[in-house]
Amino acid sequence: MTASAAPTDATLVQRALDGDQRAYTQLVGRHKEAVYKLIRRYGADADEAYDLSQQTFIAALRSLRRYDARRPFTTWVKTIALNKCRDWSRRAAVRRILLSPLSLDSSAVDAVPSTLLDAEADTLAQERQGALAAAVAALPKALKEPLLLTA
């Protein structure tokens, strides 16, 4: 290894644990794009994904002592991000239920004109990226999570 070689993630983690804030900043810089993309593919919009990314790296910093240097840092931090996405998804589901003007036994959803639904589908079809994100978000958790962790 040459003197100009970039330090490994494990080295940066150890430096961060020793109090070097720049080392953790380097780790965030290396992995923030992958974490952000994972969160976006989970179904969060851009602002939510940004917030969840920040929450992920704050949680990772707080848990840094539990990181196993024998495993890839990116997998570890993506797992934290996935857990943040799960929490976000649960909170969003609760908000939808609590803030919904319809009761759970309401059949008003059936009364939505199909032309409105068709227009929404056409909009999604025009944006391939949006359609892909929606498809991934609609996958069952057992399929979605392994896909996101490997992407």
Side-chain angles (χ1 to χ4, degrees):
M1 187 157 86
T2 65
S4 65
T8 65
D9 287 344
T11 301
L12 291 173
V13 167
Q14 188 54 54
R15 287 182 190 167
L17 288 171
D18 293 339
D20 183 354
Q21 292 178 347
R22 288 179 293 174
Y24 193 72
T25 300
Q26 278 186 279
L27 280 170
V28 171
R30 283 183 186 179
H31 300 283
K32 68 182 177 183
E33 185 177 344
V35 167
Y36 179 81
K37 286 180 179 179
L38 168 81
I39 294 168
R40 283 295 304 229
R41 287 190 303 264
Y42 196 90
D45 70 25
D47 290 334
E48 291 166 330
Y50 180 76
D51 290 343
L52 288 169
S53 294
Q54 286 183 333
Q55 291 175 28
T56 296
F57 285 107
I58 290 168
L61 179 60
R62 289 180 178 154
S63 303
L64 208 52
R65 292 208 182 280
R66 289 187 270 162
Y67 167 67
D68 181 358
R70 296 173 297 185
R71 300 181 189 273
F73 183 82
T74 191
T75 303
W76 184 73
V77 78
K78 281 182 173 182
T79 301
I80 293 171
L82 188 58
N83 287 330
K84 293 294 177 189
C85 288
R86 290 174 183 148
D87 293 344
W88 166 78
S89 183
R90 281 191 292 268
R91 285 191 306 270
V94 168
R95 274 189 300 256
R96 279 191 304 272
I97 291 170
L98 293 178
L99 299 176
S100 172
L102 304 173
S103 67
L104 293 176
D105 61 345
S106 174
S107 62
V109 174
D110 296 332
V112 174
S114 63
T115 55
L116 291 178
L117 297 176
D118 292 341
E120 184 177 311
D122 290 340
T123 301
L124 289 176
Q126 293 172 3
E127 299 177 10
R128 292 180 69 190
Q129 187 66 24
L132 179 60
V136 171
L139 286 172
K141 187 179 0 178
L143 295 175
K144 176 172 46 175
E145 293 174 358
L147 174 68
L148 294 176
L149 284 173
T150 59

